[in-house]
């Protein structure tokens, strides 16, 4: 019977060593209802050949792809187009941040039929059921769905309330294992020799105007209980001998109670772990809480510092109580405890004049250096501001007034410049000129020379000493131009930037 689904995970910069939780969630929603296969573009030498081999059987009707911005587009767009051209009866369904945030350009393309706008635990099986019954009228009653009606008008159905995460069916790890042995996803990182990736929650309770999560979740957050998270991790400890976990939640640390309970559960299992959170949230934890987390294996926390400038934090609608002084205080608190703060900064925000933009950049460069004085172990991640489609926000109106526009045709996203857009290294924003971008990137090179990331565990000993020695004058004097000697060493030693390549070691 031709009603099987192929669930595709396109290749991404960091995906080779991450269990694809997004497609596992999709598979879980139809497990036992429809037959389906997984194709992981990160582990296939020729993903299209694999996809075509399935559709050539005549048994597959649905091509379902998760689509994140950036590198995943290089496979998601052409493969979806080729499926439509080669197998015209196929129904194509997209999900993921790109599909939801750039829904207009996606759904108006001739080869994307439906978009799951956010969580698909109910949406995806309901969509397949309606399509199998040829019930087009029933589509409007399915929440979290985007499609074109018979007149070509975009229909965007109501958002569904976030579900109790403990009530959802278990992820089909065994099913994935039949296509890609799970041990292929466990790799050596600076966290451990066999690192496992895991999602324990959805969304974030904050509404920062620069964040791609906000338009999808609207300030909502739901999490699995500490016991459920521990049980899942313990399964992989016992069955696959993992010794580290990367929690890829948008905000793992939202609930102090849940984090403390999880830390108490995991503290005797000899596991190290990393997660993402907010500075002002975790700064409310007590020293006892933070010491317990350290004892339980928390090695590093990724935190959106964004900027040390309180006015820009307001421009970003950062929310909460985060301030420049709060960022410094938190860095100071973590130093004696031994948890490494990994602060990300967003430079190149819009301003009224080029002089104001450059002044903001200089402010944050000096602020970053101050943070490193307070806590030398602090990891610094630097991004150039890349707009997201948060329609209605003051910041989005500002960037449109400044002349920024997203591509109007889906395939234009394959342009190399746009393909790198969401890596936040090449923002294509009209208020940033080459001098500004060079200054940010040259400072980043010098910073990574004088303070090499701890996550690249190959840069140590004499290598680290030599790299720091070469970079010292530039860092101390503020002379960042043309740091070719540092770039040469980074290239020679294949220096890894975790924000682009993750923690894994090849």
């Amino acid at each position: 019977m031709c009603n099987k689904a192929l669930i595709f995970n396109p290749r991404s910069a960091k995906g080779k060593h991450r269990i694809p939780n997004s497609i596992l969630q999709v598979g879980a929603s139809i497990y036992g209802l429809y037959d389906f296969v997984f194709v992981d573009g990160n582990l296939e030498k020729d993903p299209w050949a694999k996809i075509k081999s399935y559709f050539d059987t005549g048994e597959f009707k649905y091509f379902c792809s998760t689509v994140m911005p950036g590198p995943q587009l290089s496979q998601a767009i052409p493969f979806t187009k080729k499926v439509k051209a080669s197998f015209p009866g196929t129904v194509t369904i997209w999900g993921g941040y790109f599909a939801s945030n750039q829904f207009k350009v996606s759904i108006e393309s001739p080869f994307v039929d439906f978009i799951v706008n956010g969580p698909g635990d109910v949406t995806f099986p309901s969509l397949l059921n309606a399509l199998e019954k040829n019930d087009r009228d029933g589509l409007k009653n399915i929440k979290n769905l985007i499609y074109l009606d018979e007149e070509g008008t975009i229909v965007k159905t109501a958002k569904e309330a976030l579900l109790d995460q403990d009530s959802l069916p278990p992820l089909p790890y065994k099913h994935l294992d039949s296509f890609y042995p799970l041990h292929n996803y466990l790799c050596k990182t600076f966290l451990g020799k066999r690192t496992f990736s895991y999602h324990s929650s959805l969304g974030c309770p904050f509404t920062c105007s620069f964040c791609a999560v906000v338009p999808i979740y609207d300030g909502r957050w739901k999490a699995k209980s500490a016991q459920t998270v521990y049980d899942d991790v313990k399964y992989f400890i016992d069955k696959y001998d993992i010794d580290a976990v990367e929690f890829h939640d948008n905000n793992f640390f939202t609930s102090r109670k849940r984090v403390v309970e999880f830390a108490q559960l995991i503290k005797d299992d000899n596991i190290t772990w990393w997660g993402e959170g907010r500075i002002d949230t975790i700064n409310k934890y007590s020293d006892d809480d933070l010491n317990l987390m350290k004892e339980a294996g928390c090695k590093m926390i990724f935190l959106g510092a964004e900027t040390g400038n309180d006015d820009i934090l307001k421009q970003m609608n950062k929310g909460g109580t985060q301030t420049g002084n709060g960022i410094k205080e938190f860095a100071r608190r973590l130093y004696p405890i031994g948890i490494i703060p990994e602060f990300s900064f967003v430079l190149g925000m819009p301003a009224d004049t080029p002089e104001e933009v450059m002044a903001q950049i200089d402010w944050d460069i000096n602020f970053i250096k101050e943070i490193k004085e307070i806590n030398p172990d602090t990891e610094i991640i630097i991004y150039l501001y890349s707009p997201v489609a948060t329609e209605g926000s003051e910041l989005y109106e500002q960037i449109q007034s400044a002349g920024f526009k997203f591509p109007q045709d889906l395939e234009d996203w394959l342009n190399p410049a746009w393909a790198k857009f969401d890596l936040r290294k090449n923002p294509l924003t009209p208020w940033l000129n080459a001098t500004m971008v060079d200054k940010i990137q040259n400072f980043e090179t010098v910073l990574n020379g004088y303070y090499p990331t701890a996550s690249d565990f190959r840069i140590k000993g004499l290598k680290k000493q030599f790299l720091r020695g070469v970079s010292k004058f530039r860092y101390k004097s503020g002379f960042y131009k043309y740091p070719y000697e540092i770039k040469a060493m980074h290239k020679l030693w294949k220096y890894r930037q975790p924000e682009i390549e993750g923690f894994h070691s090849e």
Side-chain angles (χ1 to χ4, degrees), residues 431-445:
W431 54 86
L432 278 185
N433 58 41
T435 300
M436 297 169 186
V437 174
D438 284 347
K439 184 165 192 176
I440 294 169
Q441 293 180 341
N442 288 337
F443 169 69
E444 181 182 33
T445 297

Side-chain angles (χ1 to χ4, degrees), residues 2 102 136-137 180 202 247 259 273 286 288 301 358 459:
C2 178
Q102 299 293 340
R136 288 286 301 190
D137 289 340
Y180 305 100
L202 286 179
F247 290 105
V259 172
W273 47 281
S286 69
D288 286 343
I301 305 173
M358 183 61 87
I459 306 296

Side-chain angles (χ1 to χ4, degrees), residues 160-177:
E160 180 185 44
L162 293 184
L163 303 175
D164 177 359
Q165 297 300 290
D166 283 351
S167 69
L168 297 177
L171 298 184
Y173 288 116
K174 290 182 180 178
H175 195 65
L176 176 64
D177 190 59

Side-chain angles (χ1 to χ4, degrees), residues 74-253:
S74 66
Q75 289 188 346
I77 292 174
F79 291 175
T80 305
K81 184 178 181 180
K82 288 171 78 172
V83 165
K84 265 297 188 188
S86 303
F87 308 96
T90 302
V91 177
T92 58
I93 305 168
W94 274 18
Y97 287 149
F98 179 87
S100 294
N101 286 332
Q102 299 293 340
F103 68 87
K104 187 175 187 295
V105 72
S106 298
I107 202 63
E108 289 183 344
S109 75
F111 47 86
V112 177
D113 294 322
F114 296 95
I115 292 172
V116 175
N117 182 26
D121 305 285
V122 175
T123 308
F124 185 55
S126 299
L127 173 60
L128 297 193
N129 290 341
L131 294 176
E132 286 298 299
K133 296 174 183 176
N134 198 28
D135 181 16
R136 288 286 301 190
D137 289 340
L139 295 177
K140 63 181 179 295
N141 299 318
I142 301 173
K143 295 181 178 179
N144 291 1
L145 190 64
I146 300 173
Y147 62 97
L148 296 180
D149 65 15
E150 293 179 356
E151 284 74 42
T153 302
I154 295 176
V155 177
K156 192 176 183 184
T157 66
K159 288 285 187 73
E160 180 185 44
L162 293 184
L163 303 175
D164 177 359
Q165 297 300 290
D166 283 351
S167 69
L168 297 177
L171 298 184
Y173 288 116
K174 290 182 180 178
H175 195 65
L176 176 64
D177 190 59
S178 67
F179 298 97
Y180 305 100
L182 293 182
H183 63 77
N184 289 339
Y185 293 103
L186 307 178
C187 63
K188 182 179 180 182
T189 69
F190 92 109
L191 293 172
K193 293 181 179 179
R194 295 175 63 79
T195 304
F196 170 61
S197 58
Y198 185 83
H199 277 262
S200 75
S201 67
L202 286 179
C204 176
F206 296 91
T207 55
C208 307
S209 58
F210 61 92
C211 181
V213 175
V214 173
I216 299 172
Y217 294 104
D218 297 325
R220 300 171 299 163
W221 180 82
K222 279 281 189 178
K224 297 178 182 178
S225 66
Q227 186 66 55
T228 297
V229 176
Y230 175 72
D231 290 343
D232 286 351
V233 172
K234 190 68 166 64
Y235 170 81
F236 277 87
I237 293 172
D238 295 339
K239 187 170 179 62
Y240 293 97
D241 196 30
I242 65 166
D243 59 2
V245 183
E246 294 179 32
F247 290 105
H248 291 291
D249 306 39
N250 299 125
N251 198 333
F252 179 80
F253 297 91

